[in-house]
Amino acid sequence: MKKISALLMLICAALLLCACTGEKPAAEEAAPIVIGFSQLGSESSWRIGNTKDMTEAAERAGITMMLKDGRQKQENQIAAIREFIAHRVDVIVFSPIVEDGWDNVLREAKQAGIPVLLIDRIIQTTDDSLYAGCIGADFYLEGRNAGEYLLKKADAMGAKELHVVEITGTEDSTPMRQRMKGFHSVVDGDSRIVTLESVNGDFLRSRGRECMEYLLKKYDGEIDVVYSHNDSMTLGAIEALEAAGVKPGQDVIIITVDGEQAAIDLLKEGKINCVVECTPMLGDEVMRLCTKLAGGEKIVKLTHPVEQVFTDFDDLTQIGPRGY
């Protein structure tokens, strides 16, 4: 009995010491942050670069990231978000393929107490409390930058009239809507710029080529400018132009958005005239914001990275490797 009493006294003393010093048993140490990331797909070098950057940034930050590829379908992304909710992740991050149709699943996340961070694209909702914040490019400004370059080019050429065809991104996506709106807010007020047609290329290289083939057939010899909403579609369009015997960058002005390595290389070769940057390198900032959200902190509603415009008016030798 004396031995048992002494043992109990030792246990009590150890527990009291832990309480006094504030030390926690190892089992109670803070678990690593877990985020669920629904990427919309892998349709372009930009998207692949973004996924790679997110993965590497999570590793640097010591954050566990569950990654799901939506394969260009909203229903796949909704299923992924529900899976993240079931796993009780700390933060849900996703790049929405379209703007509408997210309210129901995001209400489920809100009811589960899981904050949501949008990356690259925004959504349309009547309840802004369904997401904590968004980090991504200013697509409207990108469109304006493309339009302002075209007016500068028209001035330099002394052009009296330029016929434009526009290859847009996925219908109803944020970049498609905003890049179109920004571009036309600049050029539509200039009588020299005439838009012949806007066609949907869905951000895909194959569709970019198909769209350009259609436009060349319909507007044979009339096209002066191609404004494409991303580099993948631009690369496809250039294939179609060259197959038709049209010299991109010379016979036709080429304006593109993203800034991937392939587009910058063609800019240096003179086959593209203007590249508006849209950086996919958002990972470190996403992890910083996720750490705040996991800790119960609020974040700013909208964060834009600083981006550039590269054109045939610039010293292109100063452009370093793009990384995507």
Side-chain angles (χ1 to χ4, degrees):
M1 288 295 293
K2 289 182 179 180
K3 289 182 179 180
I4 293 174
S5 296
L7 181 59
L8 287 172
M9 289 178 67
L10 286 171
I11 292 172
C12 289
L15 291 172
L16 183 61
L17 180 61
C18 285
C20 292
T21 58
E23 294 179 3
K24 295 181 179 180
E28 294 182 16
E29 290 180 0
I33 295 170
V34 179
I35 69 172
F37 175 37
S38 172
Q39 179 63 281
L40 69 84
S42 54
E43 78 287 356
S44 64
S45 294
W46 192 101
R47 192 66 53 190
I48 293 168
N50 178 243
T51 299
K52 181 174 182 289
D53 186 61
M54 285 282 289
T55 301
E56 292 174 352
E59 291 175 357
R60 286 193 294 271
I63 291 174
T64 299
M65 186 173 77
M66 295 175 60
L67 173 64
K68 294 290 182 180
D69 187 334
R71 301 185 183 277
Q72 300 291 113
K73 293 183 179 180
Q74 184 177 32
E75 57 265 34
N76 291 344
Q77 290 198 280
I78 290 173
I81 292 170
R82 288 196 167 119
E83 185 176 341
F84 297 151
I85 293 170
H87 276 85
R88 303 294 300 176
V89 299
D90 296 298
V91 184
I92 292 172
V93 181
F94 80 107
S95 182
I97 187 167
V98 293
E99 291 189 350
D100 303 302
W102 303 100
D103 283 22
N104 288 340
V105 72
L106 294 189
R107 284 195 192 97
E108 295 171 24
K110 183 178 179 180
Q111 289 167 1
I114 302 173
V116 173
L117 177 66
L118 307 180
I119 177 175
D120 175 41
R121 302 180 179 185
I122 197 73
I123 62 171
Q124 292 293 330
T125 178
T126 56
D127 183 1
D128 285 346
S129 71
L130 294 180
Y131 68 96
C134 176
I135 175 171
D138 186 335
F139 301 121
Y140 180 78
L141 178 60
E142 290 173 354
R144 285 192 62 85
N145 286 337
E148 287 168 1
Y149 164 78
L150 181 55
L151 297 189
K152 182 178 179 180
K153 187 71 172 178
D155 290 341
M157 296 169 59
K160 294 183 178 180
E161 186 169 285
L162 292 173
H163 295 159
V164 180
V165 293
E166 180 178 19
I167 305 178
T168 72
T170 302
E171 189 174 1
D172 296 329
S173 67
T174 308
M176 173 267 168
R177 289 177 173 177
Q178 294 299 311
R179 286 173 184 162
M180 174 182 276
K181 186 177 179 180
F183 180 75
H184 289 283
S185 73
V186 173
V187 304
D188 287 358
D190 193 307
S191 61
R192 297 173 297 175
I193 311 302
V194 179
T195 301
L196 298 175
E197 190 170 346
S198 296
V199 292
N200 175 18
D202 207 25
F203 289 126
L204 299 173
R205 183 168 182 159
S206 59
R207 288 283 295 132
R209 177 164 185 152
E210 291 170 5
C211 288
M212 196 70 249
E213 289 171 344
Y214 155 78
L215 292 165
L216 285 168
K217 185 176 181 180
K218 184 173 181 179
Y219 302 102
D220 183 29
E222 296 181 54
I223 300 171
D224 301 307
V225 182
V226 175
Y227 168 45
S228 169
H229 286 198
N230 88 331
D231 291 343
S232 287
M233 295 187 300
T234 303
L235 296 175
I238 287 174
E239 290 173 358
L241 287 166
E242 291 183 326
V246 179
K247 295 180 181 178
Q250 297 179 43
D251 299 334
V252 176
I253 297 166
I254 307 293
I255 304 171
T256 186
V257 183
D258 270 357
E260 65 181 62
Q261 189 65 56
I264 294 298
D265 290 344
L266 290 179
L267 174 65
K268 291 179 178 180
E269 291 177 29
K271 293 184 178 182
I272 289 177
N273 304 89
C274 174
V275 177
V276 179
E277 183 182 36
C278 178
T279 181
M281 306 305 186
L282 305 173
D284 287 330
E285 183 64 10
V286 168
M287 299 310 148
R288 186 184 73 83
L289 295 175
C290 284
T291 300
K292 283 180 171 290
L293 290 172
E297 298 182 49
K298 289 187 176 181
I299 61 172
V300 294
K301 201 68 175 179
L302 185 60
T303 302
H304 290 315
V306 177
E307 297 176 325
Q308 304 178 71
V309 181
F310 309 105
T311 79
D312 52 10
F313 292 112
D314 304 328
D315 177 5
L316 304 177
T317 62
Q318 302 302 311
I319 306 175
R322 305 299 293 156
Y324 62 100

